[in-house]
Structures are given as C-alpha cells and as structure tokens.
Amino acid sequence: GGIVRCDGTDVPTLLSAILDLMPLDSAANSCILMDMMQMHKDAGWKTPIWDTYKKIAQEKEGSNAKFELVERFGFYERSGKAFAVVATGESALYANIIVKKGIIGSAK
C-alpha cells in the first residue's frame, strides 16, 4: 500500500466519491471506526462525523454499510494492513475510517 495525499479535502467528500466507485464488503463490517479513548468519553467528547459517515454509507450502500468500533491500537494494526492510506485535511475528532472493498460489479 501507499499514502495518497488529499490535503485539501474532507473525509465525507472523499467517502462519498469512493463509494460511488467502490462497493462495500457485504459479508463483513465494512466500515471500521477508531473508538474513542475512555478519557475522551469521560470528558464528554462527541463524534458527529460518525453520523455523517453512516448517513453517506447508508445512502450509497443501504444495508451493506455495517460499522464497527475498534479500540485505538487494534485500529492502528488494521490500518497498517490497508491497501492505501488517504491523508486528508479533515479536522473532526476521531475522523479515521477504514473502508473494506466489496466485489466490483456486484449488485447492490
């Protein structure tokens, strides 16, 4: 894998564009989010970007859009196995997402 630079773009815009071209894996949790650290939960941090991701994925993929929260170090491990990592200009808290590709040309 490699790093793709999209510094001037936010994640919702990229997620929408990616899902226009690439179906999600319908056999697994296709969208992986890094869960908040307990100290941030305790401090009352919010992650409205997650709702935005879910809305985009539902609009593009319907029931194939399954989300999973993974603790921080598990997320880092999974991201290290990714085909590509996309660096964006996103400033939202906990905006990291892993998207698992499904079969190209499959029926939605």
Side-chain angles (χ1 to χ4, degrees), residues 65-102:
K66 300 175 189 97
F67 283 77
E68 176 183 358
L69 289 174
V70 174
E71 65 85 25
R72 180 171 60 138
F73 293 109
F75 186 92
Y76 295 157
E77 183 178 328
R78 287 186 186 200
S79 65
K81 298 173 186 176
F83 175 77
V85 173
V86 181
T88 71
E90 184 60 62
S91 61
L93 298 172
Y94 286 93
N96 301 318
I97 185 170
I98 297 172
V99 180
K100 293 170 113 181
K101 181 187 80 61

Side-chain angles (χ1 to χ4, degrees), residues 29 31-36 41 47 50 53-54 66-72 74-75 78 94 96:
N29 291 331
C31 299
I32 312 297
L33 301 170
M34 184 171 69
D35 198 7
M36 281 195 289
K41 291 177 184 179
T47 54
W50 293 355
Y53 293 168
K54 289 173 183 173
K66 300 175 189 97
F67 283 77
E68 176 183 358
L69 289 174
V70 174
E71 65 85 25
R72 180 171 60 138
F75 186 92
R78 287 186 186 200
Y94 286 93
N96 301 318

